[in-house]
Amino acid sequence: MRILILLLLPLVVQPLHARDVYKWITPEGEVVYSENYQPGADTIRVQDSKKKTSLKVDELDKEADAAATGDYLQFDIVQPSNDETIRSDENSVSVGLSISPPLFDGHAIHLYVDGKKLDSEIKTTQLVLQQLSRGTHTIRAEIVDTEGEMVKQSGSTTFHLRQAAVN
């Protein structure tokens, strides 16, 4: 809690006007606060007045409660974006996931490409799919516990892989 206060202190002494601050968790589990938006970041509204500056930390409280109960607040595919066209002559696509709070010990991610589960369990939020055929693909992800039971599921994302034409 002291670290949280130290991180938020510079935000409180900024000039007096309303603004948004963004919070996200890196793949290494580090919590980052910034005035610059990142895909998948949570918005924290900072409201100032002449008498005092206040910071709403409801989202931080929700994340702490979720971590204590073993629940996930957010699990989304943030890369590629839905209906995105990707040009790759290497037949590869970068996939980014956003999880809040970070993946719990013993939990893993199962990724499904066109309805088929990848062979390996994933422990990171950034990966590259390789050897995909060109065309339209759909991906979705699930977080599973130590018994392999689904805990949380992302929405599906459709993307289109294009390659240079071969003559």
Side-chain angles (χ1 to χ4, degrees):
M1 187 66 177
R2 290 183 206 152
I3 294 172
L4 176 63
I5 292 170
L6 290 174
L7 287 172
L8 296 177
L9 188 59
L11 301 174
V12 175
V13 295
Q14 293 292 323
L16 298 175
H17 64 283
R19 65 193 174 278
D20 288 337
V21 175
Y22 301 99
K23 179 194 135 222
W24 67 92
I25 300 172
T26 67
E28 296 78 30
E30 178 184 354
V31 178
V32 178
Y33 296 88
S34 175
E35 290 183 1
N36 299 318
Y37 177 77
Q38 295 289 323
D42 295 321
T43 303
I44 300 172
R45 184 75 174 163
V46 179
Q47 297 177 344
D48 298 329
S49 70
K50 291 184 179 183
K51 293 183 180 180
K52 68 176 184 174
T53 301
S54 63
L55 175 65
K56 293 184 179 181
V57 293
D58 293 340
E59 292 301 316
L60 299 175
D61 292 339
K62 287 180 186 176
E63 186 170 293
D65 292 343
T69 60
D71 294 331
Y72 292 96
L73 295 174
Q74 174 192 10
F75 182 49
D76 298 307
I77 298 171
V78 294
Q79 182 184 5
S81 58
N82 196 45
D83 205 30
E84 180 178 354
T85 297
I86 300 166
R87 301 196 187 291
S88 172
D89 291 334
E90 293 81 33
N91 300 346
S92 63
V93 174
S94 295
V95 175
L97 304 170
S98 177
I99 303 172
S100 177
L103 201 59
F104 299 125
D105 287 338
H107 288 192
I109 300 168
H110 289 173
L111 189 67
Y112 294 82
V113 179
D114 300 329
K116 297 178 185 169
K117 181 181 164 289
L118 296 183
D119 291 335
S120 60
E121 292 188 337
I122 302 164
K123 300 282 186 176
T124 181
T125 58
Q126 299 292 319
L127 63 136
V128 177
L129 297 175
Q130 297 178 339
Q131 300 178 350
L132 287 175
S133 61
R134 65 180 170 183
T136 300
H137 298 279
T138 302
I139 56 174
R140 69 178 174 83
E142 295 177 349
I143 298 175
V144 295
D145 62 15
T146 53
E147 288 83 37
E149 296 292 320
M150 183 181 67
V151 176
K152 184 102 173 160
Q153 181 176 350
S154 74
S156 293
T157 297
T158 300
F159 63 92
H160 315 281
L161 181 61
R162 301 291 181 247
Q163 300 165 332
V166 178
N167 292 330

